[in-house]
Amino acid sequence: ILQTASFLLLRRGYLQGSSLILMVGMLVTVTVMATVGQGIRDVALVAFPIIFVFAGLTLKRKYFGLCVGLVAVAIAWLILGQYNGWFAPKPFRGPPNWVDFGMAAVILLVSALAVDLLATNMRRSLEQLKSSERKFEALFEKAPVAMVRSSIDGSAILEANQELCKLSGYSKEELIGKSANFFWADLSQRAQLVGLLRKNGALENFEMDLIDKSGQVRNCLSNYRLHMEKGFLDGSLVDVTDRKKVEKVL
């Protein structure tokens, strides 16, 4: 029943609920097997590390803590119960019989279901990630403004769209992999930008001066967002050089 409920929840996209039910079901099964078997020395307890690994990979921190607590309670039950005579563990006997095989089969089955659940979730997450990346790439490339992605330290330009190529005069092949610092007219502006991004995470309408391939300085308004955990920043640039010239005349 618990396995069926776990599977149905997974099909509906409730990974946390599905994983938690499966872990609790596995914990109860192993504890009951050990109680009616060899107690704290029962081979079924090898499933407890599997529970820890699976719970750690699929559950949120509070639910993982719940699983750890339940395992601790189960172990305490087996130790205290055996010590105080609340149940009598069966003595080790000769060659394994069908009951032993059945218990091993249940453990293996539940473990296999847990691994399959984890693999299914990982495949789904990878597919969603790839889909998001494809959508981002399409939006990035077709954006009506210049777009750039560079490493935080400015050591390399990671992505550039056609509008940035038009603005800078460089081809995409010339831009990708090149230092992001080379087309800044004033490197102190980039240092200021990175400092503000580290503090605020995002920045709008930041004025910067860009040097294009012909050596001309282009005045730009930019919006940037820092992705600290991934080591890069994304920016969009709008050329306002002509507007600046008109403002000076007026």
PDB file of all heavy atoms in Angstrom, residues 1 37 60 125 137-138 173 221:
ATOM      1  N   ILE A   1       0.836  -1.206   0.000  1.00  0.00           N
ATOM      2  CA  ILE A   1       0.000   0.000   0.000  1.00  0.00           C
ATOM      3  C   ILE A   1       0.870   1.255   0.000  1.00  0.00           C
ATOM      4  O   ILE A   1       0.641   2.202  -0.759  1.00  0.00           O
ATOM      5  CB  ILE A   1      -0.940   0.014   1.228  1.00  0.00           C
ATOM      6  CG1 ILE A   1      -1.950  -1.152   1.122  1.00  0.00           C
ATOM      7  CG2 ILE A   1      -1.687   1.350   1.285  1.00  0.00           C
ATOM      8  CD1 ILE A   1      -2.846  -1.289   2.336  1.00  0.00           C
ATOM      9  N   GLY A  37      13.128 -11.103  13.932  1.00  0.00           N
ATOM     10  CA  GLY A  37      14.288 -11.889  13.530  1.00  0.00           C
ATOM     11  C   GLY A  37      15.355 -11.914  14.602  1.00  0.00           C
ATOM     12  O   GLY A  37      15.090 -12.284  15.755  1.00  0.00           O
ATOM     13  N   LYS A  60      14.055  17.320   1.696  1.00  0.00           N
ATOM     14  CA  LYS A  60      14.490  18.571   2.287  1.00  0.00           C
ATOM     15  C   LYS A  60      15.117  18.292   3.655  1.00  0.00           C
ATOM     16  O   LYS A  60      14.930  17.230   4.230  1.00  0.00           O
ATOM     17  CB  LYS A  60      13.304  19.528   2.446  1.00  0.00           C
ATOM     18  CG  LYS A  60      12.728  20.014   1.124  1.00  0.00           C
ATOM     19  CD  LYS A  60      11.568  20.964   1.357  1.00  0.00           C
ATOM     20  CE  LYS A  60      11.002  21.471   0.032  1.00  0.00           C
ATOM     21  NZ  LYS A  60       9.852  22.374   0.239  1.00  0.00           N
ATOM     22  N   SER A 125      14.712  15.958 -13.455  1.00  0.00           N
ATOM     23  CA  SER A 125      15.383  17.224 -13.164  1.00  0.00           C
ATOM     24  C   SER A 125      16.325  17.627 -14.294  1.00  0.00           C
ATOM     25  O   SER A 125      16.393  18.802 -14.673  1.00  0.00           O
ATOM     26  CB  SER A 125      16.170  17.113 -11.848  1.00  0.00           C
ATOM     27  OG  SER A 125      15.298  16.849 -10.772  1.00  0.00           O
ATOM     28  N   GLU A 137      18.646  30.083 -23.896  1.00  0.00           N
ATOM     29  CA  GLU A 137      19.501  30.344 -25.050  1.00  0.00           C
ATOM     30  C   GLU A 137      18.720  31.010 -26.173  1.00  0.00           C
ATOM     31  O   GLU A 137      19.222  31.924 -26.833  1.00  0.00           O
ATOM     32  CB  GLU A 137      20.123  29.037 -25.543  1.00  0.00           C
ATOM     33  CG  GLU A 137      21.183  28.479 -24.590  1.00  0.00           C
ATOM     34  CD  GLU A 137      21.664  27.100 -25.005  1.00  0.00           C
ATOM     35  OE1 GLU A 137      21.152  26.592 -26.030  1.00  0.00           O
ATOM     36  OE2 GLU A 137      22.535  26.542 -24.317  1.00  0.00           O
ATOM     37  N   ALA A 138      17.474  30.549 -26.386  1.00  0.00           N
ATOM     38  CA  ALA A 138      16.653  31.147 -27.433  1.00  0.00           C
ATOM     39  C   ALA A 138      16.318  32.599 -27.102  1.00  0.00           C
ATOM     40  O   ALA A 138      16.411  33.489 -27.967  1.00  0.00           O
ATOM     41  CB  ALA A 138      15.366  30.336 -27.619  1.00  0.00           C
ATOM     42  N   GLU A 173      32.581  34.726 -32.599  1.00  0.00           N
ATOM     43  CA  GLU A 173      33.801  33.925 -32.436  1.00  0.00           C
ATOM     44  C   GLU A 173      34.927  34.752 -31.818  1.00  0.00           C
ATOM     45  O   GLU A 173      35.756  34.228 -31.066  1.00  0.00           O
ATOM     46  CB  GLU A 173      34.246  33.359 -33.788  1.00  0.00           C
ATOM     47  CG  GLU A 173      33.341  32.271 -34.356  1.00  0.00           C
ATOM     48  CD  GLU A 173      32.016  32.825 -34.863  1.00  0.00           C
ATOM     49  OE1 GLU A 173      31.949  34.055 -35.148  1.00  0.00           O
ATOM     50  OE2 GLU A 173      31.051  32.045 -34.964  1.00  0.00           O
ATOM     51  N   LEU A 221      23.837  52.091 -21.360  1.00  0.00           N
ATOM     52  CA  LEU A 221      23.105  51.844 -20.119  1.00  0.00           C
ATOM     53  C   LEU A 221      22.960  50.330 -19.991  1.00  0.00           C
ATOM     54  O   LEU A 221      22.558  49.667 -20.952  1.00  0.00           O
ATOM     55  CB  LEU A 221      21.730  52.507 -20.143  1.00  0.00           C
ATOM     56  CG  LEU A 221      21.637  53.977 -19.742  1.00  0.00           C
ATOM     57  CD1 LEU A 221      20.183  54.440 -19.801  1.00  0.00           C
ATOM     58  CD2 LEU A 221      22.188  54.199 -18.331  1.00  0.00           C
TER      59      LEU A 221
END
